[in-house]
Amino acid sequence: MFAYVVRRVLATIPVMAVVALFVFSLLYIAPGDPAAVIAGDQATPDDVERIRASLGLDRPYLVRFGAWVFDILRGDLGVSIFTNLPVSLMIKQRLEPTLSLMVVTLILAVSIAVPMGVIAAARVGTFIDKLVMGFAVLGFSVPVFVVGYLLAYIFALELEWLPVQGYTPFSNGFFPWMENLILPAIALGSVYIALIARITRASMLEVLQQDYIRTARAKGAGLRSILFLHALKNAAVPIVTVIGIGIALLIGGAVVTESVFAIPGLGRLTVDAILRRDYPVIQGVVLLFSFTYVLVNLIIDILYTLFDPRIRY
Amino acid sequence: MDRRTFLKAGAGVAAIGASGGASAPALSQGAAARTLRFVPQANLANFDPIWGTQYVVRNAAVLVWDTLYGFDERLQPQRQMVEGEETSSDGKTWTFKLREGLRFHDNEPVRARDVVASINRWMPRDPMGQLLRAINVELSAVDDRTFRWVLSAPFPKMTMALGKNATPMCFIMPERIASRFDSFTQINEYVGSGPMRFVRNEWVPGARSVFQKFDQYVPRNEPASWLAGGKRMMVDRIEWVIMPDPATASAALQNGEIDWWENPITDLVPVLRRNRNILVDIADPLGNIGSFRMNHLHAPFNNLKVRQAVMTALSQDDYMGAVVGNDPALRKTLGGFFTPDTPLYTEEGGEMLKMANLERGRQLLRESGYNNEPVICVVAQDQPITKAQGDVTADLLKRLGMNVDFVATDWGTVGQRRAMKNPPNQGGWSMFHTWHAGADAINPVVYNAVRANGDGAWFGWPNIPAVEAEVPNWLAANNLAEERAAIGRLNRAAVENVVYCPTGFFLSYQAWRRNVTGITKGPIPFAWGVSKS
Amino acid sequence: MASASVLSPGDVSAANVAVAAPMGDIMPPVKARHGFWGFLYRNPSIAIGGAIVLTMVLMAIFAPLLTYADPTSLAPARRTREPSAQYWFGTDMLGRDVYSRVIYGARVSLIVGFSVAVLASIAGLTIGLVSGFVRWADSIIMRVMDGMMSIPPILLAIALMALTRGSVQNVIIAITIAEVPRVSRLVRGVVLSLREQPYVDAAVAAGTRTPVIIWRHILPNTIAPMTVQATFICASAMIVESILSFIGAGTPPIIPSWGNIMAEGRALWQVKPYIVFFPAVFLSITVLAVNMLGDGLRDTLDPRMAKRI
């Protein structure tokens, strides 16, 4: 087991290296010029050139890449070109909203989608099944910002049940925090609910055909206890997998959701940074996202072995 | 990770979930009334008003840093930090005395040497500052409250240069900061002597900036008038909340989640007006001037007739309709390059600007010998004003019969690309859109967009001696009549030679909750005198 | 498919034609149907999804015949008009006709969707095959793909768009690059599992050359999962395109696309919801139809995979 974990952890190193090289090169060849943005409308080309030099943007590729990697290995993500704040601080400031949004979305999605999938599997072929599956396809098909605006229009503007936008820190209390997160979580979760519901249904169907389930039924176990005890336990592997795959989906969706609901999270930080070409911030955030993705999938890989001892490592 | 540690990690998450639920809301009722929540036009991405010259930085900076002089609502510079000044009889030596009791936010007194360092950092970045630098002999502190400036030539517009609201403004910072960072390096300490302190550890760029009242600020006795007079803060705390999406900002204002919104888009104003708790008014009577610039160095716009064809055909109504809608109270058709209702505004020789004659434009284009060269039109999509103008231009050039290559991009890329002097098809450009605050377009020195000194001119590099000849005439003018005469000739030359194309003058609204009082109209959302009940 | 009624009348009738034909002779319910119509009858999601997609394609091709105004001609004097007999879907903030823009907008969404599906499939297939057959290249390629996969596709596409100017072509390239790693992994998985099959082993033992093995044994077996995957890529590309445009990194507004029509209307969604509503409905229905088509294809072409997902 230990050797397996070590092997898996080591395997993530080249992946992260690829990400680092990719992200750095991508931004190196980017055409926009932060110096021009900073200099403002009244600046002369000479001013722009001086600002570029002061930011170190005039150094050659390899020098910049080397310096950058070295800094990152020391845990220094650099300083934002625009705000002059450390990138790690800017990320820290934005972490809570994004993390909150993701956690709430995940909890919401799993608690809605898993029962949906289980019920659909139990009633396979019926109207309920078709309804669940229809909803799932719909969830895939409607873009997250459309769902977001629709929800905000109905629940915030028309019914005035929930705030339209913004984020209240968790330290201000659970309910104010939750109030601001419900709509974005549903909007962001719609794809996720669709995905998890379908996977749950599919893996449940597969498991329900297994011999031991038939045996359990024959022994007179109730349908409900079979579904939730035996079947779901065995369907857990594919469900957990999809949560891992979905992390990428969640991060991508958060970028859009945070724009719609004005949540000051990492997603908006990323979009702002890309549009302004704030290289250190883009690099830091994309690295962080990739690292999270790799880490989550690593943990899931390791969790497999807990859920399903048959998987050898 | 084994099963046990996994479970422990799970328990940790649960514990976080359970705590914190009972904690009290951070703000009590009274504190809420002393906090003004303001939605600015844009994100405060950096906070060095000399290094970064965006309007939004300037607007935040006036809270934190004070200035020696300040424009009042008649655009006249009035003393602010300065108690008095003396000019020598030859006009070449200025001696200034600071007010008593001025303090920086770190409790240090404001000394003359702080002022000297601040002026030195500001000069290279400012058009008027550069004029001063060219004739600078010696700028020095005489004692703690007195500083002297010796010039090689008289500079009658001195107090205007030090008190204007065009960015970069001459803000005063402590010497230790102003002398440590040159004009092209960003400061990382935000200490001023203005009426509010910047709360750096609550600054979340892209989301929030917080300002706290500075108790030791001593306002002047005169009533406040724009940047002049007593800057009295009636609230303890100002929170800038960044909302990039106007729809959410509008909803937030309606729900009372914010108090004051700097720039509601025109189409949302009717909704806001229907709400009895919201007041809407013009934000800045000096408004903005939309424009696009053509590259005078390369075909097709190196050809005067082609430029004239475009200027003749363009309809300012179309541009302004696209930018602010069809509310006539919000727009004016320009006959000149300067801001309407300011002293130097003139329509002399400006007929072509108002023509909006497509047929005549087509005819001029035929006469010009235009050879279907592509027009590389670079348009920033992330700025609503440039985006709307770009769409109108694309349609205009198409109808005019020009070959348009529309490059949709972002403001950062426009900023870089417009500095390229290469031919358009080799990474250069033919045309880009922008806009200028009316408060900046009040004279040919502050407003360098109208200048036409070739390489030294603003992007597009027009080289029109007839325009340039009038600038020294204006600087040397002794009275308004002489100033206006020079500017009239300048305007005529600039129109005839199409230095660039103004697309119209437009105003914008601001909106606030009814319980907020004291909001004024001006080029900056002035927070002094604003109170909340 | 209640939502289909939101479409314009032409679309619904087209959908009905496809479904209604087999419904007519419903007489012998036991008898299995044969031929094309029978296939559609047995696979309603292919029938409905296919009919909607076909309708959208026809709409995109014949856009000039279906519209009454130039989608790019603007007239700020008649901006933000509500939907009426004159402007069916109203006008936007530049006075452009939203109906014409939505009809023409189908072109961008479909071109982006189909092109990305085809390009990502070709690229993914090539990379997947190389990776599956060339042992030494496999680990390098897969590390690169893993790296790219760990960057969320939307983020990657936005970053790529920031490198270049907004155009349909660049949007296609950006989304394709973001999709390729997933396809490559799928193909590689199929190749690796096929290589274990006895008949491939036999072919290798018989000294058959690799290209021949690929052509005879591998490619035919990847076609089914690839087709299904391509459909889903198509749907996802349409959504990513709309998100790119929505963020302001997509197609320029002089080329109307559903995404940028929505992006332009978003500021006004409280007061003029129709500008966002119409393209949103068209986009959602099209993506829905493509997804239904994909589901149907998977059920028929690749029942093994159908069970898994």
Side-chain angles (χ1 to χ4, degrees):
Chain A
M1 175 84 192
F2 180 74
Y4 170 74
V5 172
V6 170
R7 223 173 36 241
R8 279 295 286 116
V9 172
L10 287 180
T12 60
I13 293 173
V15 174
M16 289 310 298
V18 167
V19 174
L21 188 69
F22 190 77
V23 168
F24 185 84
S25 311
L26 200 69
L27 295 167
Y28 183 78
I29 55 171
D33 183 356
V37 184
I38 290 158
D41 238 19
Q42 307 294 320
T44 63
D46 215 35
D47 293 352
V48 175
E49 201 45 57
R50 292 194 56 178
I51 289 179
R52 190 175 299 128
S54 84
L55 295 172
L57 295 177
D58 54 350
R59 290 181 296 164
Y61 173 80
L62 279 178
V63 176
R64 280 171 60 191
F65 182 66
W68 182 68
V69 169
F70 186 71
D71 286 344
I72 285 182
L73 291 179
R74 286 184 311 163
D76 177 5
L77 290 174
V79 174
S80 157
I81 290 176
F82 283 85
T83 62
N84 217 11
L85 295 174
V87 174
S88 48
L89 173 69
M90 291 177 78
I91 288 178
K92 215 164 74 189
Q93 288 174 331
R94 306 299 198 98
L95 208 55
E96 189 196 306
T98 301
L99 221 54
S100 303
L101 176 62
M102 288 190 177
V103 168
V104 173
T105 304
L106 211 59
I107 293 172
L108 201 76
V110 170
S111 54
I112 292 175
V114 171
M116 263 172 70
V118 172
I119 291 166
R123 302 262 180 276
V124 63
T126 64
F127 174 72
I128 294 176
D129 180 30
K130 296 218 166 83
L131 198 72
V132 168
M133 291 307 281
F135 176 82
V137 183
L138 207 63
F140 277 125
S141 308
V142 185
V144 54
F145 53 92
V146 175
V147 182
Y149 277 127
L150 203 65
L151 290 173
Y153 192 82
I154 296 172
F155 294 100
L157 283 178
E158 290 299 317
L159 298 173
E160 296 186 15
W161 287 355
L162 293 161
V164 188
Q165 53 77 43
Y167 175 76
T168 314
F170 194 75
S171 54
N172 285 8
F174 177 77
F175 287 104
W177 173 77
M178 200 57 188
E179 239 176 33
N180 270 309
L181 283 175
I182 286 184
L183 293 183
I186 297 175
L188 178 55
S190 59
V191 186
Y192 223 54
I193 294 173
L195 190 67
I196 299 176
R198 281 175 74 138
I199 303 278
T200 310
R201 175 180 174 274
S203 34
M204 286 297 287
L205 282 179
E206 201 162 325
V207 174
L208 284 175
Q209 288 165 1
Q210 304 282 331
D211 288 343
Y212 70 95
I213 299 285
R214 283 200 220 123
T215 318
R217 286 220 76 170
K219 276 174 27 193
L223 181 63
R224 193 168 301 166
S225 79
I226 289 176
L227 281 173
F228 279 92
L229 258 160
H230 294 276
L232 194 54
K233 192 169 153 239
N234 285 286
V237 172
I239 296 173
V240 169
T241 318
V242 87
I243 290 174
I245 297 167
I247 288 288
L249 211 63
L250 206 58
I251 294 169
V255 171
V256 181
T257 313
E258 286 177 10
S259 293
V260 173
F261 288 96
I263 297 172
L266 286 172
R268 260 182 62 203
L269 180 70
T270 315
V271 174
D272 286 353
I274 289 176
L275 292 179
R276 250 183 297 145
R277 318 210 183 274
D278 195 341
Y279 299 145
V281 177
I282 306 176
Q283 286 162 344
V285 177
V286 175
L287 266 187
L288 176 77
F289 279 147
S290 307
F291 182 70
T292 314
Y293 178 85
V294 170
L295 191 72
V296 167
N297 281 288
L298 177 69
I299 293 173
I300 283 167
D301 269 7
I302 295 168
L303 282 184
Y304 277 163
T305 58
L306 298 182
F307 278 116
D308 192 348
R310 281 169 304 178
I311 294 176
R312 273 171 291 135
Y313 39 83
Chain B
M1 186 192 251
D2 63 21
R3 192 189 299 255
R4 204 176 309 145
T5 51
F6 171 69
L7 287 176
K8 254 194 254 167
V13 172
I16 294 168
S19 71
S23 69
L27 292 175
S28 68
Q29 202 63 31
R34 306 287 292 166
T35 300
L36 188 67
R37 288 158 308 172
F38 172 78
V39 177
Q41 51 173 288
N43 171 24
L44 184 68
N46 71 76
F47 199 34
D48 181 341
I50 306 299
W51 179 84
T53 54
Q54 299 91 338
Y55 291 134
V56 62
V57 179
R58 186 262 324 256
N59 295 356
V62 297
L63 292 169
V64 176
W65 288 280
D66 215 346
T67 49
L68 299 168
Y69 293 83
F71 266 18
D72 66 8
E73 57 193 31
R74 293 171 302 121
L75 290 170
Q76 296 305 310
Q78 304 294 344
R79 291 168 194 143
Q80 183 53 257
M81 292 170 78
V82 161
E83 187 180 270
E85 70 287 311
E86 268 177 29
T87 331
S88 63
S89 52
D90 63 358
K92 291 181 183 173
T93 302
W94 289 73
T95 311
F96 303 86
K97 189 152 182 106
L98 294 172
R99 278 200 285 148
E100 227 169 331
L102 297 174
R103 252 172 211 291
F104 284 116
H105 300 157
D106 60 2
N107 265 332
E108 291 295 313
V110 178
R111 297 187 181 91
R113 61 169 191 267
D114 299 314
V115 175
V116 169
S118 300
I119 293 176
N120 280 330
R121 183 162 186 265
W122 160 80
M123 272 195 294
R125 294 302 304 272
D126 184 68
M128 289 190 96
Q130 285 161 8
L131 293 177
L132 275 162
R133 198 156 77 136
I135 53 172
N136 176 33
V137 175
E138 192 195 11
L139 172 63
S140 58
V142 177
D143 59 42
D144 273 356
R145 283 179 53 208
T146 317
F147 64 99
R148 180 180 302 132
W149 203 341
V150 183
L151 304 169
S152 60
F155 193 78
K157 306 252 172 339
M158 171 67 86
T159 57
M160 174 187 271
L162 298 177
K164 70 183 171 59
N165 57 345
T167 173
M169 286 169 57
C170 184
F171 289 112
I172 303 304
M173 9 188 115
E175 184 196 20
R176 66 185 168 87
I177 299 172
S179 58
R180 181 147 53 101
F181 300 91
D182 71 36
S183 319
F184 298 91
T185 312
Q186 198 180 165
I187 57 171
N188 59 11
E189 219 184 326
Y190 311 101
V191 176
S193 62
M196 300 292 278
R197 278 188 302 114
F198 183 61
V199 188
R200 191 184 168 174
N201 60 8
E202 289 194 57
W203 180 30
V204 183
R208 202 161 62 125
S209 317
V210 177
F211 307 89
Q212 196 77 36
K213 187 175 177 180
F214 177 52
D215 291 324
Q216 276 128 301
Y217 183 74
V218 186
R220 293 185 77 92
N221 290 324
E222 304 92 332
S225 170
W226 286 10
L227 293 164
K231 301 173 181 173
R232 287 180 185 78
M233 298 311 307
M234 321 297 274
V235 291
D236 292 336
R237 189 178 155 93
I238 297 177
E239 288 181 10
W240 278 30
V241 188
I242 314 301
M243 292 189 182
D245 184 4
T248 38
S250 153
L253 185 67
Q254 291 175 60
N255 287 5
E257 293 164 32
I258 55 170
D259 302 313
W260 183 9
W261 181 14
E262 186 181 355
N263 62 338
I265 60 170
T266 328
D267 295 284
L268 293 176
V269 164
V271 185
L272 300 176
R273 283 222 165 101
R274 275 202 296 276
N275 188 321
R276 270 185 297 138
N277 293 319
I278 293 173
L279 294 169
V280 181
D281 200 356
I282 299 293
D284 174 9
L286 293 178
N288 294 281
I289 294 171
S291 73
F292 60 83
R293 297 185 71 87
M294 296 174 275
N295 190 337
H296 289 234
L297 299 182
H298 300 289
F301 295 126
N302 57 358
N303 180 334
L304 174 62
K305 272 261 168 74
V306 179
R307 297 202 300 273
Q308 286 176 339
V310 174
M311 188 185 263
T312 305
L314 79 85
S315 151
Q316 293 187 35
D317 274 348
D318 279 358
Y319 280 96
M320 292 302 103
V323 173
V324 289
N326 294 320
D327 181 347
L330 286 181
R331 42 191 256 203
K332 271 194 188 112
T333 307
L334 290 170
F337 287 87
F338 296 94
T339 307
D341 302 321
T342 59
L344 297 183
Y345 180 71
T346 170
E347 299 201 349
E348 196 177 322
E351 295 77 18
M352 202 200 304
L353 277 174
K354 291 184 160 180
M355 228 172 253
N357 188 337
L358 186 65
E359 273 318 307
R360 175 94 188 93
R362 283 190 182 134
Q363 191 191 329
L364 280 167
L365 191 67
R366 274 194 302 275
E367 293 166 9
S368 73
Y370 170 65
N371 200 14
N372 210 37
E373 295 98 344
V375 176
I376 312 258
C377 184
V378 193
V379 181
Q381 301 292 305
D382 53 343
Q383 304 287 327
I385 295 172
T386 56
K387 179 178 177 317
Q389 294 189 89
D391 288 340
V392 178
T393 300
D395 188 54
L396 169 77
L397 297 183
K398 208 170 77 183
R399 283 188 290 147
L400 200 54
M402 296 189 83
N403 172 13
V404 192
D405 184 359
F406 191 91
V407 181
T409 178
D410 57 280
W411 195 227
T413 308
V414 172
Q416 180 198 37
R417 190 153 177 185
R418 69 183 184 187
M420 301 284 187
K421 290 185 176 175
N422 311 6
N425 57 359
Q426 292 168 31
W429 55 278
S430 312
M431 197 178 223
F432 76 88
H433 296 76
T434 186
W435 78 100
H436 301 273
D440 293 356
I442 52 168
N443 73 50
V445 172
V446 177
Y447 192 40
N448 57 2
V450 78
R451 299 290 292 275
N453 45 340
D455 274 356
W458 210 46
F459 308 104
W461 310 283
N463 190 351
I464 297 149
V467 171
E468 280 305 300
E470 300 301 335
V471 177
N473 290 345
W474 172 76
L475 274 169
N478 290 314
N479 55 51
L480 190 60
E482 281 179 36
E483 289 190 31
R484 287 184 56 90
I487 295 302
R489 293 188 296 271
L490 185 149
N491 197 62
R492 175 181 295 278
V495 173
E496 277 169 5
N497 294 288
V498 195
V499 168
Y500 73 93
C501 286
T503 58
F505 171 80
F506 60 95
L507 296 165
S508 51
Y509 283 115
Q510 57 180 337
W512 63 92
R513 303 280 301 177
R514 194 173 281 278
N515 61 340
V516 176
T517 48
I519 288 173
T520 50
K521 295 179 189 179
I524 296 172
F526 300 108
W528 34 88
V530 175
S531 61
K532 187 179 163 188
S533 59
Chain C
M1 274 313 295
S3 52
S5 60
V6 192
L7 284 165
S8 63
D11 304 333
V12 175
S13 60
N16 285 343
V17 174
V19 188
M23 300 263 270
D25 56 346
I26 206 156
M27 274 297 288
V30 211
K31 189 186 145 196
R33 262 157 244 275
H34 298 287
F36 181 64
W37 297 117
F39 174 77
L40 291 184
Y41 183 79
R42 273 176 274 114
N43 298 285
S45 65
I46 293 186
I48 298 170
I52 296 174
V53 173
L54 193 66
T55 312
M56 291 292 172
V57 170
L58 292 175
M59 191 178 90
I61 294 171
F62 296 109
L65 300 177
L66 295 169
T67 53
Y68 50 80
D70 177 351
T72 58
S73 110
L74 46 89
R78 49 154 213 249
R79 66 200 294 279
T80 59
R81 296 277 167 84
E82 302 276 337
S84 65
Q86 195 185 358
Y87 307 110
W88 296 357
F89 294 175
T91 61
D92 68 7
M93 52 289 275
L94 294 171
R96 293 174 299 202
D97 182 58
V98 176
Y99 168 76
S100 310
R101 289 181 75 72
V102 167
I103 301 294
Y104 275 92
R107 291 183 168 181
V108 171
S109 280
L110 293 171
I111 288 174
V112 169
F114 291 149
S115 311
V116 171
V118 170
L119 292 177
S121 300
I122 293 172
L125 198 61
T126 314
I127 296 173
L129 283 176
V130 170
S131 194
F133 274 95
V134 186
R135 277 277 152 83
W136 62 267
D138 182 43
S139 58
I140 300 172
I141 292 176
M142 280 304 125
R143 286 300 82 71
V144 173
M145 291 298 141
D146 283 349
M148 282 174 70
M149 263 171 89
S150 70
I151 303 173
I154 291 176
L155 220 54
L156 185 57
I158 299 173
L160 288 170
M161 285 309 293
L163 290 185
T164 156
R165 56 191 277 192
S167 74
V168 178
Q169 188 192 331
N170 289 337
V171 168
I172 291 172
I173 295 171
I175 304 178
T176 302
I177 294 177
E179 294 281 358
V180 162
R182 263 151 277 267
V183 190
S184 314
R185 274 212 158 272
L186 176 85
V187 175
R188 175 177 172 272
V190 173
V191 171
L192 289 185
S193 72
L194 286 174
R195 282 180 59 129
E196 305 293 313
Q197 299 294 320
Y199 60 89
V200 178
D201 271 349
V204 174
T208 319
R209 284 169 49 239
T210 308
V212 180
I213 294 178
I214 291 179
W215 181 252
R216 273 210 207 123
H217 302 295
I218 309 289
L219 269 186
N221 280 299
T222 52
I223 285 174
M226 280 303 299
T227 312
V228 175
Q229 189 70 13
T231 340
F232 292 126
I233 290 174
C234 174
S236 123
M238 287 176 178
I239 289 186
V240 174
E241 186 277 323
S242 73
I243 289 177
L244 286 178
S245 295
F246 180 77
I247 290 174
T251 46
I254 50 166
I255 308 164
S257 84
W258 291 334
N260 70 29
I261 303 169
M262 278 188 271
E264 302 204 314
R266 67 190 276 216
L268 298 184
W269 66 278
Q270 269 182 56
V271 274
K272 309 281 175 189
Y274 61 87
I275 305 176
V276 172
F277 175 77
F278 287 110
V281 167
F282 273 74
L283 173 67
S284 303
I285 287 179
T286 309
V287 177
L288 188 69
V290 176
N291 275 329
M292 286 173 69
L293 197 61
D295 278 356
L297 287 175
R298 187 187 48 209
D299 291 346
T300 45
L301 294 179
D302 192 3
R304 208 163 36 109
M305 185 173 163
K307 237 193 241 164
R308 260 188 283 130
I309 292 190

